[in-house]
Amino acid sequence: MESPVAAPSVPRPAAPPRPALPITTTAPVKRERRWSVAALCIVLAAVAGLGAAAAVTSASDRTRVLAIARDVPAGQALTDADLTVAEVSADAALTPVPAANKASVVGKRPAVDLRKGGLLTTSQLSAGTGLGDDKQQVGVQVKRGQAPAGTLAPGDKVLAVTTPAQGEQTGDQDTEAPPSTIKGVVVGVSRPDASGTVVVNLAVSPSDGPLLATRAAQGHIALVREPRGQ
């Protein structure tokens, strides 16, 4: 029996040659770039430190001073409720009254009108009111209808007119004499009470003070504001 003949071997095709890949290397980081980043970090840290220092300094420069809590007319004595405390930055151009001096300020009379929200300065306070300080002052209580409603202000010139008592006859209607008047200047006006009554402080001549006080005590006074243009 004949042995089988082996099939001739077929050579494998040669693999195509692989292209040579270029060998790349990472470029070294330049030393100069590292130094620039470090320098930038140092600068940022310095700026942040200066900002924090400035904030602390600004906060430490703030001082507590007196401010106006509500409108106060010139000549009206200051009360505790008229004042509040505010914090402001120290400024040599300003002369606000320190908050620690509040007790010594209460009771003083400003020479000018004080507006709510403003700072109280030493120049606004004076020994006098600036309104008839060389004259006598008389407080006149007036009810509704005895003075112009809401129009009297410090500095206004007024006539204090004597009004007759209830049931009192001033004479024949045809020959009625002109009413007795006293000239004065408004120094201050109180806030109206529940009935609308206010107290008006008037500066008058020393010769008229006692007479006006007597008539005011009897409740026989009405106020007439003279034209402000005069």
Side-chain angles (χ1 to χ4, degrees), residues 68-90:
I68 310 303
R70 57 188 179 184
D71 292 348
V72 180
Q76 180 173 299
L78 290 171
T79 65
D80 186 78
D82 295 328
L83 303 172
T84 186
V85 176
E87 289 189 358
V88 297
S89 299

Side-chain angles (χ1 to χ4, degrees), residues 30-214:
K30 295 183 178 180
R31 187 181 300 272
E32 291 79 0
R33 182 176 299 175
R34 293 179 179 177
W35 278 109
S36 63
V37 173
L40 179 59
C41 293
I42 294 175
V43 171
L44 292 177
V47 171
L50 291 175
V56 172
T57 303
S58 176
S60 62
D61 286 344
R62 298 183 71 83
T63 181
R64 292 165 57 85
V65 298
L66 293 179
I68 310 303
R70 57 188 179 184
D71 292 348
V72 180
Q76 180 173 299
L78 290 171
T79 65
D80 186 78
D82 295 328
L83 303 172
T84 186
V85 176
E87 289 189 358
V88 297
S89 299
D91 190 339
L94 298 177
T95 57
V97 179
N101 296 350
K102 184 177 183 179
S104 63
V105 169
V106 172
K108 290 189 176 181
R109 301 176 183 271
V112 296
D113 290 342
L114 303 179
R115 299 302 180 189
K116 179 180 178 181
L119 297 180
L120 181 66
T121 62
T122 54
S123 62
Q124 294 170 327
L125 301 175
S126 61
T129 64
L131 302 170
D133 293 323
D134 57 340
K135 299 182 179 181
Q136 293 182 346
Q137 292 191 25
V138 179
V140 179
Q141 186 180 55
V142 292
K143 300 179 181 179
R144 288 179 178 175
Q146 293 181 328
T151 61
L152 290 180
D156 283 343
K157 296 179 180 180
V158 298
L159 293 177
V161 182
T162 302
T163 59
Q166 186 175 5
E168 181 181 344
Q169 298 294 327
T170 58
D172 186 77
Q173 294 181 354
D174 296 333
T175 60
E176 184 175 351
S180 175
T181 61
I182 295 175
K183 292 183 177 181
V185 178
V186 177
V187 175
V189 182
S190 71
R191 294 179 177 84
D193 61 13
S195 65
T197 300
V198 298
V199 175
V200 182
N201 290 335
L202 297 180
V204 298
S205 171
S207 61
D208 294 330
L211 178 59
L212 178 60
T214 301

